Amino acid sequence: MYNSPKLSVVGAGPGDPELITIKAVNTLKSANVVLYDALINRELLDHAPQAEHIYVGKRKDKHRYSQDEINELIVKYASERGHVVRLKGGDPFIFGRGSEEIDYARSEGLETAVVSGITSSIAVPANAGIPLTKRGISESFWVITGTTTERKLSEDVRLAAQSTATVVILMGMGKLNEIVDIFSHFGKEDTPVGIIQNGTTVNEKSGFGTIRNIENVVSEQKLTSPAIIVIGEVVNERNKFEAVFSEVQALSRVEIPKF
């Protein structure tokens, strides 16, 4: 069935296929073409069995298409096929270039829509038992890209390191040494750090330490991208989460006496 030319930019959530919104699922069901990114869970494509699925992912040094080419593909397929869904990991408006694609599509006369997604910057730490804010511990948080369009570490990391806020860094594994140097420069060597790879998925791995030793932890645990870096006292809250989880598991193994 041909629909009028339209682009829907849809957030796929952080990785767990159940962490996608009902609106996103309904939007996928109406798609004629789905252009999907590297970080989305492929199971989500099952919500659009009637659509053509086209991979346009960009990973470090492995770009299948440039952003300009993706923009052109959106217009091409919308004009030829109707409803194009651009499926992006997390939320498309948080370091997802969703707004750029919306702007381009509108400039070409396409109808557009946005479906927000659950951002990995919040969901991944939460899934690991780390609250980004907690009364008496952290009053705010920063979410910063680790790598800018110039392939450099964001200058905002230096500002964040001087605050008492929780700092969440996306796409920062390749700049971990620089991040450690900045926080050390401001006397934050003992600040807790958590690194969570493939968060909320069955392949999740994590490592915890401090600014002083986190690079050793990464090496020992063989942590790589895609991963989220969380820096701040709230990282220690995971210990309480794990303690409660262990207690629940223990209780679940207790045999109930029969009378």
Side-chain angles (χ1 to χ4, degrees), residues 7 20 22 79 101 106 165 172 185 204 220 233 237:
L7 167 66
I20 187 170
I22 294 172
S79 300
E101 293 170 355
R106 286 175 176 168
H185 175 76
E204 180 174 315
E220 291 167 3
E233 295 300 325
E237 293 298 303

Side-chain angles (χ1 to χ4, degrees), residues 70-88:
I70 292 171
N71 290 344
E72 291 170 4
L73 285 175
I74 289 169
V75 174
K76 166 183 163 60
Y77 283 112
S79 300
E80 295 176 355
R81 305 281 296 279
H83 186 196
V84 172
V85 167
R86 183 72 173 93
L87 190 60
K88 293 173 166 289

